Every structure is written in structure tokens, then in C-alpha cells.
Amino acid sequence: MTLAEGEYEFECDECHGDGNVQVIQIVDDDTDEAGLVWDRCDDCRGEGTVWVDEKVAAEKILYGQTPTRTPAAT
């Protein structure tokens, strides 16, 4: 899929590009015991990357992130 002008692709901050995150969830209904389970990342919808506009991209770049794709690279 090609990026529209002004869109940048970055690795997802929340899941670090994996697409999955650990969440706390009830694992035993009888005792209401909670535990960590793996779930799909909501920020990137499990894809591992996020697309942002140039304003957000500029902030991410300022804080040291490198885009995986830019509009010029498509």
C-alpha cells in the first residue's frame, strides 16, 4: 500500500513492532485471579507499524525515532 503525501510510517511505540502486547486479564473466573496474557496491540491493530501525518512525524523524529517509510520513498 502506498503512503499518501504527508504520511510517514513508524514502528509502533506500544508493541515495539511486534503487534502484540501483554495485558492484565482475569485468568480464573472462580477466584477472579488476574494474570498477564498476550493480546493484539490496539495502537497499530496488530500490524506493528503506525502511519502518522508530517506534524506527528516531525515530533517522533525530533525524539530520535526513524521512519520506516516516507512519502518520498514510495
Side-chain angles (χ1 to χ4, degrees):
M1 209 166 167
T2 61
L3 296 172
E5 180 148 346
E7 286 184 328
Y8 292 77
E9 182 180 81
F10 286 87
E11 183 178 276
C12 179
D13 292 336
E14 187 68 25
C15 67
H16 305 287
D18 182 50
N20 296 302
V21 292
Q22 281 190 317
V23 296
I24 298 173
Q25 191 174 53
I26 300 295
V27 292
D28 187 351
D29 290 332
D30 294 332
T31 62
D32 287 336
E33 181 181 339
L36 292 175
V37 296
W38 288 99
D39 196 11
R40 188 181 79 187
C41 178
D42 288 334
D43 288 359
C44 67
R45 296 167 306 285
E47 295 177 18
T49 58
V50 293
W51 290 12
V52 298
D53 64 21
E54 54 198 13
K55 183 177 180 181
V56 175
E59 185 176 328
K60 286 179 170 287
I61 292 168
L62 178 68
Y63 290 106
Q65 291 185 328
T66 303
T68 54
R69 289 191 329 161
T70 64
T74 58

